[in-house]
């Protein structure tokens, strides 16, 4: 006891000191970001105050400007330039030069960059959410859940674990290389190109940027033409944080434009991350094949939301509505097909109907609304087409939400949350990605049936399974062919930033998030060196040195069996043969020298 007592005291004192150090906040500088042109204070210039009417078809994709407007009110926000291919390549070269300097920085400096961003985000949550809401039509609550919380979680994970996963990882050297030390090093790729969608304008910029920059890369982000106004402001936050730590100012660039802008980016960078539709994802793969760069594709989804008969109906119904109205109805990749067990089908549908009828859509910043506008002009026409196809094939609308006070000119920007029953898989609504506030509900009789239904899709992003038996829900989820699964919850996988995110089939491949996403910004280099240098070095055994001895192959046979034989006795016998041949070869060599 006398021996252990001092060690226990020292261990306790160390733990106390470590805890006290955690209470001391790190010294993190504050940054100032110009907000004069994004705050809606009623003092905007007259040319930025009219109601904007987007041209139909492809007419908008002409000229040198990307027009920006609030989808909820159609209020004009201004424009940003549509960069030409030459301008894109110039931006990439600037980032490439900056990246060479950044790759030499320490993880300490990179963590400080993250802390500065985190401090600003927490302090300016309302501002970030308001800008996201104005540019995409989502509510403030949805912006907080999808933009702020996910980004903060990503930063916290990188701060606590990022360096650990990017340090050299030592691996087993195997039997034949016991005298060697084997490891994998992770080196930055160079310049990452990200082409991101409009549904989460803040998080979709910060998510790839954080992983790329922390792993030593530079990044160029092509933001969507449907969310360029907010993206350009969020870029200022990144620029200010880089300046605060003395990082190269060109390490991160945000570019705006249309298809040719994105195409030029693909041909210029060292890796492409794309978030968008399967059709565009295929075009990106073809372009990336020209330069043989790695590609990460996060594409569409038609996720199944499965409800077994042994659940708390009221609880799961609330989650289901949240899943389908996520991001004000503009991003429903989280749940687009609802399968409910026949024994609770009526009660579940009744509960859903009651909730949906109480949901109101309207301009998010003009009042308390549950859902905002659709981000993309004309998208309501696609949703109406999916609904009409289902109705023609026997489906029935049983509930719709209502509209609040919205301008007559902006009605097309809203789509009422809709509950549809009597659906089946012959309907486009159950096969095509909707990206809208539509809840098609289908009944099932057995676990085997619902697994078959859930897998009957060209998509494979995620699923959510609910059951009073967690083991049952887990078993169902394990048999669904998708990249992410939530058991008795919805979208929980994305809030665990230690996990990879991505899909299979037409939902894409590759992962961002977690260790897999972080290391995907690097190339892996395998390194082997002598473990006990210079005392033990690699030497070629005499029997297989040039010129190879007559018993060279016999030596190799015995060596292989000595290392990998299944029987210990066979291995020992083979080892004896190896040592015998080495000894004989040494004797022959000595005899030659004596002559």
């Amino acid at each position: 006891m006398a021996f252990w007592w001092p060690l226990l005291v020292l261990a306790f004192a160390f733990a106390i000191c470590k805890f006290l150090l955690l209470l001391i906040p790190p010294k993190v500088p504050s940054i100032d970001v110009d907000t004069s042109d994004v705050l809606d204070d009623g003092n905007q210039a007259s040319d930025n105050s009219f109601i904007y009417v987007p041209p139909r078809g492809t007419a908008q994709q002409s000229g040198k400007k990307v027009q920006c407007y609030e989808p909820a009110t159609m209020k004009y926000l201004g424009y940003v330039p549509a960069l030409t291919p030459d301008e894109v390549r110039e931006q990439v070269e600037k980032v490439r030069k900056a990246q060479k300097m950044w790759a030499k920085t320490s993880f300490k400096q990179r963590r400080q960059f993250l802390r500065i961003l985190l401090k600003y985000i927490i302090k300016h949550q309302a501002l970030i959410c308001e800008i996201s809401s104005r540019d995409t039509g989502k509510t403030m609550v949805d912006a907080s859940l999808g933009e702020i919380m996910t980004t903060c979680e990503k930063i916290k994970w990188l701060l606590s674990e990022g360096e650990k996963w990017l340090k050299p990882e030592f691996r087993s050297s195997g039997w034949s290389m016991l005298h060697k030390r084997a490891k994998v090093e992770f080196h930055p790729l160079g310049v990452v190109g990200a082409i991101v969608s409009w549904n989460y304008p803040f998080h979709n910029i910060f998510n790839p940027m954080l992983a790329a920059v922390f792993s030593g890369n530079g990044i160029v982000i092509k933001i969507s033409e449907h969310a360029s106004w907010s993206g350009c402001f969020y870029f200022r936050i990144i620029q200010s944080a880089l300046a605060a730590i003395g990082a190269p100012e060109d390490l991160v660039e945000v570019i705006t434009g249309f298809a040719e802008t994105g195409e030029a980016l693909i041909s210029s960078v060292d890796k492409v991350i794309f978030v968008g539709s399967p059709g565009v994802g295929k075009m990106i793969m073809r372009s990336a094949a020209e330069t043989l760069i790695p590609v990460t594709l996060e594409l569409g989804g038609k996720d199944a939301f499965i409800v077994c008969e042994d659940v708390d109906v009221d609880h799961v119904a609330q989650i289901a509505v949240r899943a389908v109205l996520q991001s004000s109805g503009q991003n429903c990749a989280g749940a687009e097909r609802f399968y409910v067990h026949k024994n609770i089908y009526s009660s579940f549908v009744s509960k859903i109907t009651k909730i949906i009828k109480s949901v109101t859509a309207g301009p998010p910043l003009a009042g308390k609304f549950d859902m905002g506008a659709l981000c993309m002009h004309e998208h309501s026409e696609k949703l109406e087409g999916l609904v009409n196809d289902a109705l023609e094939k026997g489906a029935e609308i049983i509930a719709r939400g209502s509209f609040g006070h919205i301008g007559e000119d902006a009605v097309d920007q809203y789509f009422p949350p809709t509950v549809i029953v009597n659906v089946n898989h012959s309907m486009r609504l159950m096969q095509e990605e909707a990206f809208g506030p539509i809840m098609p509900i289908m009944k099932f009789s057995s676990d085997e049936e619902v697994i078959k239904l859930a897998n009957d899709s060209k998509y494979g992003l995620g699923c959510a399974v609910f059951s009073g038996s967690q083991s049952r829900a887990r078993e169902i989820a394990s048999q669904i062919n998708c990249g992410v699964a939530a058991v008795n919850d919805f979208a929980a996988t994305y809030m665990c930033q230690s996990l990879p995110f991505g899909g299979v089939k037409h939902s894409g491949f590759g992962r961002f998030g977690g260790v897999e996403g972080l290391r995907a910004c690097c190339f892996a280099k395998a390194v082997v060196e002598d473990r006990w240098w210079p005392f033990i070095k690699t030497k070629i055994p005499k029997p297989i040195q040039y010129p190879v001895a007559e018993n060279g192959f016999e030596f190799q046979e015995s060596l292989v069996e000595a290392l990998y034989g299944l029987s210990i006795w066979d291995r020992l016998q083979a080892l004896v043969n190896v040592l015998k041949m080495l000894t004989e070869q040494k004797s022959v060599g000595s005899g030659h020298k004596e002559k």
Side-chain angles (χ1 to χ4, degrees), residues 120-149 201-202 229-230 233-234 237 328 364-365:
Y120 182 89
I121 293 168
I122 293 172
K123 187 177 180 181
H124 298 87
Q125 295 180 58
L127 171 66
I128 293 168
C129 291
E130 179 179 338
I131 290 173
S132 176
S133 175
R134 290 184 65 190
D135 207 17
T136 64
K138 68 178 66 179
T139 66
M140 292 287 283
V141 170
D142 285 324
S144 177
L145 288 169
E147 308 274 27
I148 301 296
M149 288 190 69
F202 180 75
W229 179 76
S230 58
F233 170 72
Y234 298 144
I237 301 173
S328 306
L365 300 179

Side-chain angles (χ1 to χ4, degrees), residues 30-243:
S30 299
I31 55 174
D32 293 319
V33 181
D34 181 18
T35 61
S36 60
D37 60 338
V38 294
L39 291 176
D40 187 14
D41 56 5
N43 296 319
Q44 289 185 316
S46 58
D47 63 341
N48 284 10
S49 60
F50 61 85
I51 299 300
Y52 181 71
V53 181
R56 294 281 174 170
T58 59
Q60 188 182 6
Q61 298 210 24
S62 61
K64 301 293 183 181
K65 298 178 181 178
V66 178
Q67 308 287 0
C68 306
Y69 57 92
E70 292 183 4
T73 63
M74 300 308 294
K75 185 176 182 180
Y76 187 60
L77 296 170
Y79 66 87
V80 295
L83 272 61
T84 66
D86 286 340
E87 290 172 326
V88 172
R89 285 186 279 269
E90 289 175 9
Q91 296 282 16
V92 172
E93 284 309 306
K94 286 165 55 180
V95 174
R96 196 174 296 283
K97 292 178 182 177
Q99 187 272 332
K100 294 183 186 303
M101 294 183 284
W102 179 252
K104 301 175 183 177
T105 58
S106 65
F107 284 110
K108 180 179 179 181
Q109 186 175 3
R110 299 176 195 180
R111 277 193 293 270
Q112 186 71 337
F113 169 64
L114 266 57
R115 291 191 187 100
I116 292 171
L117 289 174
L118 183 61
K119 182 176 181 179
Y120 182 89
I121 293 168
I122 293 172
K123 187 177 180 181
H124 298 87
Q125 295 180 58
L127 171 66
I128 293 168
C129 291
E130 179 179 338
I131 290 173
S132 176
S133 175
R134 290 184 65 190
D135 207 17
T136 64
K138 68 178 66 179
T139 66
M140 292 287 283
V141 170
D142 285 324
S144 177
L145 288 169
E147 308 274 27
I148 301 296
M149 288 190 69
T150 51
T151 303
C152 289
E153 190 67 36
K154 175 94 172 186
I155 293 174
K156 290 295 289 184
W157 180 77
L158 284 171
L159 286 172
S160 61
E161 296 189 41
E163 180 180 358
K164 175 179 73 174
W165 296 112
L166 291 175
K167 281 185 171 181
E169 181 179 289
F170 287 90
R171 304 280 181 90
S172 167
S173 54
W175 280 102
S176 61
M177 293 286 124
L178 280 174
H179 59 296
K180 297 287 187 179
R181 183 166 53 199
K183 64 180 178 180
V184 180
E185 296 177 348
F186 300 96
H187 299 272
L189 287 166
V191 179
V192 175
I195 302 175
V196 299
S197 61
W198 39 263
N199 53 337
Y200 293 104
F202 180 75
H203 181 69
N204 283 348
I205 289 174
F206 274 69
N207 187 34
M209 182 277 297
L210 290 166
V213 170
F214 192 81
S215 55
N217 295 279
I219 186 169
V220 181
I221 308 167
K222 193 275 179 185
I223 52 180
S224 170
E225 58 268 31
H226 300 290
S228 295
W229 179 76
S230 58
C232 290
F233 170 72
Y234 298 144
F235 178 43
R236 295 181 202 165
I237 301 173
I238 299 169
Q239 286 179 309
S240 299
L242 288 171

